[in-house]
Amino acid sequence: MVLNGLSAEESCAKFPAFARMIFGSPPKHAPKSPISRCATWIKSLACFLADCQYDSERLEDALQRVVDPQRRMFDVTTTSSTGCRVAIITSRTSDGKACVLANYRGMGQREANAAYEFLVPKTADENPHVWKVAQCSVAAPFFFRSKSLPGFGALQDGGVRANNPLAIALKESVVIWPSAKTHDLLLSVGTGSFSSLAKPIEGASRILQDSAIPRMIRATMSSPCMDGEQGFHEALNFVPDVERSNIFRLNHELPEPLPRLDDVSKLEGMSKMHFTVPTELVRTILATAFFFFELDELPIKSQGVFFCKGSVLCSRSYSRDLVKLVMVEFPGARFEMARGQRLGDIDDDDGCR
C-alpha cells in the first residue's frame, strides 16, 4: 500500500478489509463439543497434508487489488518524482537462505558468501510481477503454499529466516551509498511484542516440557530468525555506538500473547491501541527524509574543479508545511553538503510551494 503512494493513515484504514479478503471473517464462537473438536483436528490434518490452510487464489486476488497487477519488480518506479527503492525479503524453500529481490542494484559490492542472496535477473523473462514477489514474501508455512518464480526457484516467507531484516538493511545501505559514512535514518517497525516471565515447572510436566522437541520449538520461535524483537537487538550488537543514534525501533508492547497471523477478530481492538512516536524520531525524519538536492544543469569543469548548479527540492507536496515544522524544531537550520559547504538557510520564503 505504501509502495502505491498511500499514507500510513490510508494504509491502516484499508488494511482490515484487505486482511478479511485473505482470511475471511472471524468465526462465531460456539460451545466446544466432542464433534467440533474432532472436526478441528480433521481440518488441521487436512491443512497439514495440503501444505496450506488458506486458498492461495484469494491471496493472489487480494494482492492484485492492492498492487498494480501489471507492475513488475525490476521496472523503473514512478510512484514519486524521487523514486522509491524497494527490497522484498523472501527465503528459499530448498535451504531456507534469505533472498532479496529489489528494484535497484547499488554501487557497492556484495560478498559472494553473504548470509543472504541478492537475486539478479539474467534474462528478460526473470522480471516477476510485484504482487507475485509479495506473495512469496508472505507465504508463511502452514498458512500458504510457497511460490516459484522463473529463474529464482521456489520461495517462501522471508520471516522464517529474517523476521527482522535489520542486518540486511544495514548491509544494503552500504551497497547503495558506499561513500556515505553512515545511514541518515533506519526505522524498524514491529507488529507487536509480548514479554512473559518463564515460570519454573516441576514434576511430570517439567519432564515433558524440557524434552528435546519442546526445547527446540521454544529456541526456534525465540531465535533472532523468527522473533523480530530479538532479531533487531541481535543486529544492533554489530552496529558501532556512534551509529546507533539514528536507528529506531517502533513496536507495541501487548498485554497478552500475540494473536495468530490469521486472527482477524483482533484487528478492531488492536487498531484502537494508543501508539506514540518518539519526538526524536520525528525530528530525525524532518532532518533527513524529505529534502534532496537535484542538478539543474550539467556540472561544469573549471581549473580541475566541477561546479554544480541545482535546487533543493522536497519529496512531498506539502513542502511549505514541512519547512515550517523544520523551523520550529531546528531554529536557524540551513542546508549543507556532506563536507559542510553551506547551501543556504531554511526560511519560509525560499521558493517552496
Side-chain angles (χ1 to χ4, degrees), residues 13 29 31 52-53 59-60 77 91 96 120 123 137 171-172 211 242 259 263 270 281 285 307 336 353:
H29 295 285
C52 66
Q53 186 174 348
L59 175 61
E60 293 176 2
T77 179
S91 62
V120 178
T123 66
S137 183
K171 178 59 181 177
E172 285 299 298
S211 59
V242 294
D263 191 355
M270 295 184 71
L281 173 57
I285 292 176
F307 290 87
E336 286 188 356
R353 298 188 296 275

Side-chain angles (χ1 to χ4, degrees), residues 333-348:
R334 59 178 179 268
F335 291 113
E336 286 188 356
M337 297 181 65
R339 296 182 179 179
Q341 296 94 330
R342 295 188 179 185
L343 298 178
D345 296 334
I346 300 177
D347 56 51
D348 57 0

Side-chain angles (χ1 to χ4, degrees), residues 209-223:
Q209 186 162 337
D210 286 348
S211 59
I213 294 179
R215 292 201 314 269
M216 291 176 62
I217 293 176
R218 291 197 300 271
T220 300
M221 297 306 296
S222 61
S223 69

Side-chain angles (χ1 to χ4, degrees), residues 21-70:
M21 191 184 305
I22 299 172
F23 298 115
S25 300
K28 296 181 179 180
H29 295 285
K32 291 185 178 181
S33 64
I35 296 178
S36 64
R37 292 193 184 97
C38 182
T40 300
W41 278 100
I42 294 175
K43 181 180 178 181
S44 299
L45 178 60
C47 293
F48 177 79
L49 296 176
D51 195 30
C52 66
Q53 186 174 348
Y54 293 95
D55 187 358
S56 296
E57 292 184 0
R58 294 174 62 179
L59 175 61
E60 293 176 2
D61 181 62
L63 289 172
Q64 291 183 71
R65 291 173 182 265
V66 175
V67 182
D68 181 0
Q70 302 303 319

